[in-house]
Amino acid sequence: MMVWTAAARAEPETVRIGVLAYLGSERAARDWEPTLAHLEHAIPDRRFFALPLDLPGMVLAVADRRVDFVITNPGNYVTLEARFAVTRIATLESGLPAFPIAAVGSTIIRRADRQGIHTLADLKGKRLAVVSTDAFGGFQIAWREMEDAGVHPFTDLAALIPVGFPMEGVADAVRDGTADAGVLRACLLEELEAQGRVAPGTFAVVGERQTDALQPDTPPCRVSSRLYPDWPFARLAHTPRDLARQVAAALLTMPATDGRAWTASLDYTTVHELFRTLHIGPYPKTPPTLEDLLRRNWHWLAVAGAAVLWWVIHAARVEVLVRRRTAELVHEIAERERAEAAALRLREERDQLSRLGIVGEMASTIAHELNQPLAAIGNFAGGMTRLLDAPVPDLDRLRAGARSVAEQAERAAAIIQRTRGFVSRRGAQRSTLAVGAVVEETLSLFGTPSDLQLSIVAEAASDLPPVQADKVELQQVVLNLLQNAVDAMRPADGGTIAVRAALSDGMVMIEVRDSGSGVSDDARMRMFEPFFTTKPDGLGLGLSICRTIVERHGGRIWAEPSLPHGLAVRFTLPPSCDPSIIPSIEDPIP
């Protein structure tokens, strides 16, 4: 920082003037030396010091009251005016030496041979050289004009290139092709051409404004922007009023030097308007109010409101549909459960009827079975009576006869108990069963039809594993197959029915084979379908029930021709040693 003084006087009071040194301290000293000299001459009891400052330093010096006056650009002045109540007392007249004016503006230049850039709108997508984005005449004035032309410098330009001071660097960047266009302060281009530093016709002006040469404020040069008041000479709030009045009077009487003079203070409202438009300086962009948001975005808010309303209606409709569908599902589930319960009840009744039908067909056999123990009881009773009538009763034979009577009575009671247990209605009760024992008990329950010369032989392998099954249902299957075998052999009146239990492919297989006339292939393929029967008085339910019982136990049932004639019906059951293939009672096979 360089400080210089006016001519020394005897202990004069010092007055400090802050000057914006945008071209450096030496240039600032040279530019404002005539002004300081004139002030010291006009006010001899004061010593005027110029304090060169940059923009941040100017703000700090004013805030700390280290200066009494400031000379700065219009943009910096409105900032100081808004923050520190700085008041202008004079305005600079500059421009060309022969045509001083108290106004500043911007000129946007391009190379004369560069085509495609004629208006400010043509700058979109181009590279623009500026002194600095904080420079008033070097960018901010042009910024407003570009915004009005629809070009947003910070988003629409390909590049915004700050070259710094001196401003002649902008012309160099455009001439060298580093930038497509550049921003100069008004009249600098004409000044450079007059000094011979730029050949006339090298540059063209972009968006040149048409001016009226007859107007007193018309600039004597080409510009691309509107004009604003030139640099102000301003006093600070603490500066004495008499001193400010003396300084203002001295400035107005100062003769023009190097094209610079001072005139009465101008109106800087246009500078405030520029900053307010660009939202810079004392007018930063503030968050919009609710009213502003509503006014600016009412159409989007209307769309959003419509969308929210649609979503509410859609959500309400979905909720109604969900509730309606849920109620329908609950009703359907309840109906299904009721149907399944009814089907289960009907199935149980059907099974019961099947068992009763089997018992009916077995009635003669059961009567024959009962006749044997009853006849034996009668015979034993007669024998015991004769022994009692003898002169010397043989007590040992009487005891043996009584035991025989008791055994035959137990046998008859067992036959009745098995028949009663088979006929009685009951739920499925699975337990571990030995297949050979079940077959043997079933054959005992079935007996042998007394009206036919039949023989029933049974054979069970000794190594059969147990099965998990309901004993009564398993007996029902075997009894049904035995009854069908008897019916198949009834016309022939004689023959053998073989019941065999063995292992087959890891499954326990039970086979009932007859030597009757057999059935056709079509009847054999359909004999397990419900209501299909080859018997004149049959219902077609017996084998269908057998298939249901077998499949519910995890097995399968089928029929094959028996050689040389007859039919073999086989069904399998999984052994209990492999519980993974045994369905549980709670999850019956459908």
PDB file of all heavy atoms in Angstrom, residues 541-570:
ATOM      1  N   LEU A 541     -69.281 -97.905  -4.827  1.00  0.00           N
ATOM      2  CA  LEU A 541     -68.581 -97.066  -3.844  1.00  0.00           C
ATOM      3  C   LEU A 541     -67.492 -97.818  -3.097  1.00  0.00           C
ATOM      4  O   LEU A 541     -66.590 -97.197  -2.529  1.00  0.00           O
ATOM      5  CB  LEU A 541     -69.571 -96.483  -2.834  1.00  0.00           C
ATOM      6  CG  LEU A 541     -70.592 -95.495  -3.400  1.00  0.00           C
ATOM      7  CD1 LEU A 541     -71.581 -95.093  -2.317  1.00  0.00           C
ATOM      8  CD2 LEU A 541     -69.901 -94.270  -3.967  1.00  0.00           C
ATOM      9  N   GLY A 542     -67.571 -99.152  -3.047  1.00  0.00           N
ATOM     10  CA  GLY A 542     -66.650 -99.917  -2.219  1.00  0.00           C
ATOM     11  C   GLY A 542     -65.198 -99.691  -2.589  1.00  0.00           C
ATOM     12  O   GLY A 542     -64.371 -99.295  -1.748  1.00  0.00           O
ATOM     13  N   LEU A 543     -64.822 -99.917  -3.865  1.00  0.00           N
ATOM     14  CA  LEU A 543     -63.427 -99.764  -4.274  1.00  0.00           C
ATOM     15  C   LEU A 543     -63.009 -98.299  -4.266  1.00  0.00           C
ATOM     16  O   LEU A 543     -61.838 -97.979  -4.038  1.00  0.00           O
ATOM     17  CB  LEU A 543     -63.234-100.366  -5.670  1.00  0.00           C
ATOM     18  CG  LEU A 543     -63.296-101.903  -5.723  1.00  0.00           C
ATOM     19  CD1 LEU A 543     -63.142-102.384  -7.155  1.00  0.00           C
ATOM     20  CD2 LEU A 543     -62.218-102.514  -4.839  1.00  0.00           C
ATOM     21  N   SER A 544     -63.946 -97.391  -4.542  1.00  0.00           N
ATOM     22  CA  SER A 544     -63.612 -95.959  -4.454  1.00  0.00           C
ATOM     23  C   SER A 544     -63.229 -95.580  -3.031  1.00  0.00           C
ATOM     24  O   SER A 544     -62.257 -94.849  -2.802  1.00  0.00           O
ATOM     25  CB  SER A 544     -64.794 -95.116  -4.935  1.00  0.00           C
ATOM     26  OG  SER A 544     -64.540 -93.750  -4.716  1.00  0.00           O
ATOM     27  N   ILE A 545     -63.980 -96.130  -2.045  1.00  0.00           N
ATOM     28  CA  ILE A 545     -63.652 -95.872  -0.646  1.00  0.00           C
ATOM     29  C   ILE A 545     -62.307 -96.507  -0.296  1.00  0.00           C
ATOM     30  O   ILE A 545     -61.488 -95.931   0.425  1.00  0.00           O
ATOM     31  CB  ILE A 545     -64.775 -96.399   0.255  1.00  0.00           C
ATOM     32  CG1 ILE A 545     -66.048 -95.570   0.021  1.00  0.00           C
ATOM     33  CG2 ILE A 545     -64.374 -96.349   1.715  1.00  0.00           C
ATOM     34  CD1 ILE A 545     -67.267 -96.120   0.725  1.00  0.00           C
ATOM     35  N   CYS A 546     -62.060 -97.723  -0.851  1.00  0.00           N
ATOM     36  CA  CYS A 546     -60.770 -98.377  -0.585  1.00  0.00           C
ATOM     37  C   CYS A 546     -59.614 -97.528  -1.098  1.00  0.00           C
ATOM     38  O   CYS A 546     -58.577 -97.369  -0.430  1.00  0.00           O
ATOM     39  CB  CYS A 546     -60.733 -99.759  -1.257  1.00  0.00           C
ATOM     40  SG  CYS A 546     -61.843-100.956  -0.493  1.00  0.00           S
ATOM     41  N   ARG A 547     -59.766 -96.967  -2.307  1.00  0.00           N
ATOM     42  CA  ARG A 547     -58.682 -96.124  -2.836  1.00  0.00           C
ATOM     43  C   ARG A 547     -58.461 -94.898  -1.962  1.00  0.00           C
ATOM     44  O   ARG A 547     -57.326 -94.495  -1.691  1.00  0.00           O
ATOM     45  CB  ARG A 547     -59.009 -95.693  -4.268  1.00  0.00           C
ATOM     46  CG  ARG A 547     -57.873 -94.933  -4.919  1.00  0.00           C
ATOM     47  CD  ARG A 547     -58.187 -94.491  -6.309  1.00  0.00           C
ATOM     48  NE  ARG A 547     -59.235 -93.478  -6.322  1.00  0.00           N
ATOM     49  CZ  ARG A 547     -59.650 -92.854  -7.430  1.00  0.00           C
ATOM     50  NH1 ARG A 547     -59.110 -93.163  -8.592  1.00  0.00           N
ATOM     51  NH2 ARG A 547     -60.601 -91.959  -7.367  1.00  0.00           N
ATOM     52  N   THR A 548     -59.582 -94.303  -1.486  1.00  0.00           N
ATOM     53  CA  THR A 548     -59.451 -93.124  -0.621  1.00  0.00           C
ATOM     54  C   THR A 548     -58.704 -93.473   0.659  1.00  0.00           C
ATOM     55  O   THR A 548     -57.812 -92.743   1.112  1.00  0.00           O
ATOM     56  CB  THR A 548     -60.839 -92.571  -0.284  1.00  0.00           C
ATOM     57  OG1 THR A 548     -61.498 -92.220  -1.501  1.00  0.00           O
ATOM     58  CG2 THR A 548     -60.737 -91.348   0.602  1.00  0.00           C
ATOM     59  N   ILE A 549     -59.050 -94.638   1.245  1.00  0.00           N
ATOM     60  CA  ILE A 549     -58.394 -95.033   2.497  1.00  0.00           C
ATOM     61  C   ILE A 549     -56.916 -95.307   2.270  1.00  0.00           C
ATOM     62  O   ILE A 549     -56.044 -94.849   3.023  1.00  0.00           O
ATOM     63  CB  ILE A 549     -59.098 -96.276   3.085  1.00  0.00           C
ATOM     64  CG1 ILE A 549     -60.519 -95.896   3.522  1.00  0.00           C
ATOM     65  CG2 ILE A 549     -58.307 -96.858   4.232  1.00  0.00           C
ATOM     66  CD1 ILE A 549     -61.351 -97.094   3.967  1.00  0.00           C
ATOM     67  N   VAL A 550     -56.598 -96.044   1.183  1.00  0.00           N
ATOM     68  CA  VAL A 550     -55.198 -96.392   0.916  1.00  0.00           C
ATOM     69  C   VAL A 550     -54.372 -95.145   0.643  1.00  0.00           C
ATOM     70  O   VAL A 550     -53.270 -94.974   1.177  1.00  0.00           O
ATOM     71  CB  VAL A 550     -55.132 -97.387  -0.258  1.00  0.00           C
ATOM     72  CG1 VAL A 550     -53.687 -97.582  -0.710  1.00  0.00           C
ATOM     73  CG2 VAL A 550     -55.736 -98.728   0.143  1.00  0.00           C
ATOM     74  N   GLU A 551     -54.886 -94.241  -0.212  1.00  0.00           N
ATOM     75  CA  GLU A 551     -54.125 -93.027  -0.534  1.00  0.00           C
ATOM     76  C   GLU A 551     -53.992 -92.123   0.688  1.00  0.00           C
ATOM     77  O   GLU A 551     -52.984 -91.419   0.820  1.00  0.00           O
ATOM     78  CB  GLU A 551     -54.803 -92.281  -1.677  1.00  0.00           C
ATOM     79  CG  GLU A 551     -54.705 -93.030  -3.006  1.00  0.00           C
ATOM     80  CD  GLU A 551     -55.394 -92.297  -4.125  1.00  0.00           C
ATOM     81  OE1 GLU A 551     -56.127 -91.310  -3.832  1.00  0.00           O
ATOM     82  OE2 GLU A 551     -55.241 -92.702  -5.288  1.00  0.00           O
ATOM     83  N   ARG A 552     -54.989 -92.131   1.549  1.00  0.00           N
ATOM     84  CA  ARG A 552     -54.883 -91.331   2.773  1.00  0.00           C
ATOM     85  C   ARG A 552     -53.769 -91.864   3.673  1.00  0.00           C
ATOM     86  O   ARG A 552     -53.186 -91.140   4.472  1.00  0.00           O
ATOM     87  CB  ARG A 552     -56.218 -91.340   3.498  1.00  0.00           C
ATOM     88  CG  ARG A 552     -56.311 -90.303   4.606  1.00  0.00           C
ATOM     89  CD  ARG A 552     -57.737 -90.021   4.938  1.00  0.00           C
ATOM     90  NE  ARG A 552     -58.438 -91.225   5.336  1.00  0.00           N
ATOM     91  CZ  ARG A 552     -59.742 -91.416   5.153  1.00  0.00           C
ATOM     92  NH1 ARG A 552     -60.463 -90.488   4.550  1.00  0.00           N
ATOM     93  NH2 ARG A 552     -60.321 -92.529   5.555  1.00  0.00           N
ATOM     94  N   HIS A 553     -53.458 -93.138   3.545  1.00  0.00           N
ATOM     95  CA  HIS A 553     -52.371 -93.733   4.330  1.00  0.00           C
ATOM     96  C   HIS A 553     -51.033 -93.653   3.601  1.00  0.00           C
ATOM     97  O   HIS A 553     -50.030 -94.197   4.075  1.00  0.00           O
ATOM     98  CB  HIS A 553     -52.680 -95.193   4.647  1.00  0.00           C
ATOM     99  CG  HIS A 553     -53.670 -95.363   5.763  1.00  0.00           C
ATOM    100  ND1 HIS A 553     -55.032 -95.139   5.590  1.00  0.00           N
ATOM    101  CD2 HIS A 553     -53.513 -95.699   7.068  1.00  0.00           C
ATOM    102  CE1 HIS A 553     -55.658 -95.363   6.731  1.00  0.00           C
ATOM    103  NE2 HIS A 553     -54.764 -95.693   7.664  1.00  0.00           N
ATOM    104  N   GLY A 554     -50.973 -92.977   2.414  1.00  0.00           N
ATOM    105  CA  GLY A 554     -49.700 -92.826   1.704  1.00  0.00           C
ATOM    106  C   GLY A 554     -49.402 -93.948   0.738  1.00  0.00           C
ATOM    107  O   GLY A 554     -48.265 -94.051   0.271  1.00  0.00           O
ATOM    108  N   GLY A 555     -50.350 -94.799   0.408  1.00  0.00           N
ATOM    109  CA  GLY A 555     -50.105 -95.893  -0.518  1.00  0.00           C
ATOM    110  C   GLY A 555     -50.912 -95.743  -1.787  1.00  0.00           C
ATOM    111  O   GLY A 555     -51.480 -94.690  -2.053  1.00  0.00           O
ATOM    112  N   ARG A 556     -50.972 -96.788  -2.555  1.00  0.00           N
ATOM    113  CA  ARG A 556     -51.788 -96.778  -3.776  1.00  0.00           C
ATOM    114  C   ARG A 556     -52.382 -98.168  -3.969  1.00  0.00           C
ATOM    115  O   ARG A 556     -51.888 -99.165  -3.408  1.00  0.00           O
ATOM    116  CB  ARG A 556     -50.962 -96.375  -4.987  1.00  0.00           C
ATOM    117  CG  ARG A 556     -49.931 -97.405  -5.436  1.00  0.00           C
ATOM    118  CD  ARG A 556     -49.125 -96.867  -6.593  1.00  0.00           C
ATOM    119  NE  ARG A 556     -48.228 -97.888  -7.144  1.00  0.00           N
ATOM    120  CZ  ARG A 556     -48.544 -98.699  -8.181  1.00  0.00           C
ATOM    121  NH1 ARG A 556     -49.736 -98.584  -8.769  1.00  0.00           N
ATOM    122  NH2 ARG A 556     -47.689 -99.604  -8.633  1.00  0.00           N
ATOM    123  N   ILE A 557     -53.438 -98.240  -4.771  1.00  0.00           N
ATOM    124  CA  ILE A 557     -54.153 -99.503  -4.996  1.00  0.00           C
ATOM    125  C   ILE A 557     -54.366 -99.665  -6.490  1.00  0.00           C
ATOM    126  O   ILE A 557     -54.616 -98.681  -7.205  1.00  0.00           O
ATOM    127  CB  ILE A 557     -55.488 -99.499  -4.215  1.00  0.00           C
ATOM    128  CG1 ILE A 557     -56.165-100.870  -4.335  1.00  0.00           C
ATOM    129  CG2 ILE A 557     -56.415 -98.397  -4.681  1.00  0.00           C
ATOM    130  CD1 ILE A 557     -57.362-101.000  -3.389  1.00  0.00           C
ATOM    131  N   TRP A 558     -54.272-100.930  -6.958  1.00  0.00           N
ATOM    132  CA  TRP A 558     -54.462-101.196  -8.381  1.00  0.00           C
ATOM    133  C   TRP A 558     -54.862-102.659  -8.565  1.00  0.00           C
ATOM    134  O   TRP A 558     -54.785-103.459  -7.622  1.00  0.00           O
ATOM    135  CB  TRP A 558     -53.192-100.860  -9.159  1.00  0.00           C
ATOM    136  CG  TRP A 558     -52.048-101.834  -8.953  1.00  0.00           C
ATOM    137  CD1 TRP A 558     -51.694-102.862  -9.770  1.00  0.00           C
ATOM    138  CD2 TRP A 558     -51.123-101.857  -7.847  1.00  0.00           C
ATOM    139  NE1 TRP A 558     -50.603-103.532  -9.261  1.00  0.00           N
ATOM    140  CE2 TRP A 558     -50.225-102.932  -8.083  1.00  0.00           C
ATOM    141  CE3 TRP A 558     -50.971-101.102  -6.695  1.00  0.00           C
ATOM    142  CZ2 TRP A 558     -49.202-103.248  -7.203  1.00  0.00           C
ATOM    143  CZ3 TRP A 558     -49.929-101.417  -5.835  1.00  0.00           C
ATOM    144  CH2 TRP A 558     -49.062-102.471  -6.086  1.00  0.00           C
ATOM    145  N   ALA A 559     -55.270-102.994  -9.770  1.00  0.00           N
ATOM    146  CA  ALA A 559     -55.726-104.365 -10.070  1.00  0.00           C
ATOM    147  C   ALA A 559     -54.998-104.872 -11.311  1.00  0.00           C
ATOM    148  O   ALA A 559     -54.725-104.089 -12.232  1.00  0.00           O
ATOM    149  CB  ALA A 559     -57.240-104.386 -10.296  1.00  0.00           C
ATOM    150  N   GLU A 560     -54.716-106.165 -11.311  1.00  0.00           N
ATOM    151  CA  GLU A 560     -54.054-106.793 -12.460  1.00  0.00           C
ATOM    152  C   GLU A 560     -54.724-108.138 -12.727  1.00  0.00           C
ATOM    153  O   GLU A 560     -55.254-108.773 -11.795  1.00  0.00           O
ATOM    154  CB  GLU A 560     -52.565-107.003 -12.166  1.00  0.00           C
ATOM    155  CG  GLU A 560     -51.775-105.716 -12.074  1.00  0.00           C
ATOM    156  CD  GLU A 560     -50.298-105.995 -11.830  1.00  0.00           C
ATOM    157  OE1 GLU A 560     -49.952-107.189 -11.638  1.00  0.00           O
ATOM    158  OE2 GLU A 560     -49.516-105.024 -11.826  1.00  0.00           O
ATOM    159  N   PRO A 561     -54.699-108.570 -13.959  1.00  0.00           N
ATOM    160  CA  PRO A 561     -55.265-109.895 -14.253  1.00  0.00           C
ATOM    161  C   PRO A 561     -54.468-110.982 -13.534  1.00  0.00           C
ATOM    162  O   PRO A 561     -53.256-110.887 -13.361  1.00  0.00           O
ATOM    163  CB  PRO A 561     -55.123-110.016 -15.772  1.00  0.00           C
ATOM    164  CG  PRO A 561     -54.957-108.616 -16.260  1.00  0.00           C
ATOM    165  CD  PRO A 561     -54.259-107.867 -15.174  1.00  0.00           C
ATOM    166  N   SER A 562     -55.175-112.018 -13.106  1.00  0.00           N
ATOM    167  CA  SER A 562     -54.531-113.136 -12.418  1.00  0.00           C
ATOM    168  C   SER A 562     -54.485-114.328 -13.353  1.00  0.00           C
ATOM    169  O   SER A 562     -55.489-114.655 -13.997  1.00  0.00           O
ATOM    170  CB  SER A 562     -55.318-113.496 -11.145  1.00  0.00           C
ATOM    171  OG  SER A 562     -54.734-114.617 -10.506  1.00  0.00           O
ATOM    172  N   LEU A 563     -53.353-114.946 -13.440  1.00  0.00           N
ATOM    173  CA  LEU A 563     -53.187-116.088 -14.347  1.00  0.00           C
ATOM    174  C   LEU A 563     -53.486-117.397 -13.622  1.00  0.00           C
ATOM    175  O   LEU A 563     -53.138-117.543 -12.440  1.00  0.00           O
ATOM    176  CB  LEU A 563     -51.755-116.111 -14.884  1.00  0.00           C
ATOM    177  CG  LEU A 563     -51.357-114.883 -15.724  1.00  0.00           C
ATOM    178  CD1 LEU A 563     -49.903-114.974 -16.132  1.00  0.00           C
ATOM    179  CD2 LEU A 563     -52.270-114.749 -16.941  1.00  0.00           C
ATOM    180  N   PRO A 564     -54.138-118.364 -14.201  1.00  0.00           N
ATOM    181  CA  PRO A 564     -54.606-118.315 -15.612  1.00  0.00           C
ATOM    182  C   PRO A 564     -55.882-117.511 -15.783  1.00  0.00           C
ATOM    183  O   PRO A 564     -56.213-117.070 -16.878  1.00  0.00           O
ATOM    184  CB  PRO A 564     -54.834-119.796 -15.947  1.00  0.00           C
ATOM    185  CG  PRO A 564     -55.208-120.397 -14.625  1.00  0.00           C
ATOM    186  CD  PRO A 564     -54.429-119.677 -13.567  1.00  0.00           C
ATOM    187  N   HIS A 565     -56.630-117.273 -14.706  1.00  0.00           N
ATOM    188  CA  HIS A 565     -57.831-116.452 -14.804  1.00  0.00           C
ATOM    189  C   HIS A 565     -58.090-115.873 -13.429  1.00  0.00           C
ATOM    190  O   HIS A 565     -57.559-116.331 -12.408  1.00  0.00           O
ATOM    191  CB  HIS A 565     -59.042-117.264 -15.316  1.00  0.00           C
ATOM    192  CG  HIS A 565     -59.234-118.559 -14.568  1.00  0.00           C
ATOM    193  ND1 HIS A 565     -59.819-118.624 -13.337  1.00  0.00           N
ATOM    194  CD2 HIS A 565     -58.881-119.848 -14.885  1.00  0.00           C
ATOM    195  CE1 HIS A 565     -59.829-119.861 -12.912  1.00  0.00           C
ATOM    196  NE2 HIS A 565     -59.260-120.647 -13.840  1.00  0.00           N
ATOM    197  N   GLY A 566     -58.934-114.909 -13.375  1.00  0.00           N
ATOM    198  CA  GLY A 566     -59.202-114.253 -12.113  1.00  0.00           C
ATOM    199  C   GLY A 566     -58.640-112.840 -12.080  1.00  0.00           C
ATOM    200  O   GLY A 566     -58.233-112.264 -13.102  1.00  0.00           O
ATOM    201  N   LEU A 567     -58.602-112.271 -10.880  1.00  0.00           N
ATOM    202  CA  LEU A 567     -58.161-110.889 -10.717  1.00  0.00           C
ATOM    203  C   LEU A 567     -57.361-110.766  -9.424  1.00  0.00           C
ATOM    204  O   LEU A 567     -57.703-111.393  -8.411  1.00  0.00           O
ATOM    205  CB  LEU A 567     -59.382-109.941 -10.660  1.00  0.00           C
ATOM    206  CG  LEU A 567     -59.076-108.436 -10.612  1.00  0.00           C
ATOM    207  CD1 LEU A 567     -58.511-107.982 -11.965  1.00  0.00           C
ATOM    208  CD2 LEU A 567     -60.342-107.646 -10.290  1.00  0.00           C
ATOM    209  N   ALA A 568     -56.301-110.018  -9.490  1.00  0.00           N
ATOM    210  CA  ALA A 568     -55.475-109.740  -8.294  1.00  0.00           C
ATOM    211  C   ALA A 568     -55.543-108.234  -8.007  1.00  0.00           C
ATOM    212  O   ALA A 568     -55.185-107.424  -8.850  1.00  0.00           O
ATOM    213  CB  ALA A 568     -54.033-110.179  -8.517  1.00  0.00           C
ATOM    214  N   VAL A 569     -56.023-107.913  -6.808  1.00  0.00           N
ATOM    215  CA  VAL A 569     -56.071-106.502  -6.389  1.00  0.00           C
ATOM    216  C   VAL A 569     -55.006-106.307  -5.315  1.00  0.00           C
ATOM    217  O   VAL A 569     -54.975-107.036  -4.318  1.00  0.00           O
ATOM    218  CB  VAL A 569     -57.471-106.121  -5.858  1.00  0.00           C
ATOM    219  CG1 VAL A 569     -57.489-104.645  -5.461  1.00  0.00           C
ATOM    220  CG2 VAL A 569     -58.535-106.413  -6.900  1.00  0.00           C
ATOM    221  N   ARG A 570     -54.148-105.327  -5.543  1.00  0.00           N
ATOM    222  CA  ARG A 570     -53.041-105.090  -4.619  1.00  0.00           C
ATOM    223  C   ARG A 570     -53.109-103.647  -4.104  1.00  0.00           C
ATOM    224  O   ARG A 570     -53.512-102.740  -4.813  1.00  0.00           O
ATOM    225  CB  ARG A 570     -51.698-105.304  -5.312  1.00  0.00           C
ATOM    226  CG  ARG A 570     -51.525-106.678  -5.929  1.00  0.00           C
ATOM    227  CD  ARG A 570     -50.106-106.827  -6.477  1.00  0.00           C
ATOM    228  NE  ARG A 570     -49.908-108.133  -7.081  1.00  0.00           N
ATOM    229  CZ  ARG A 570     -49.995-108.357  -8.395  1.00  0.00           C
ATOM    230  NH1 ARG A 570     -50.251-107.362  -9.217  1.00  0.00           N
ATOM    231  NH2 ARG A 570     -49.802-109.572  -8.886  1.00  0.00           N
TER     232      ARG A 570
END
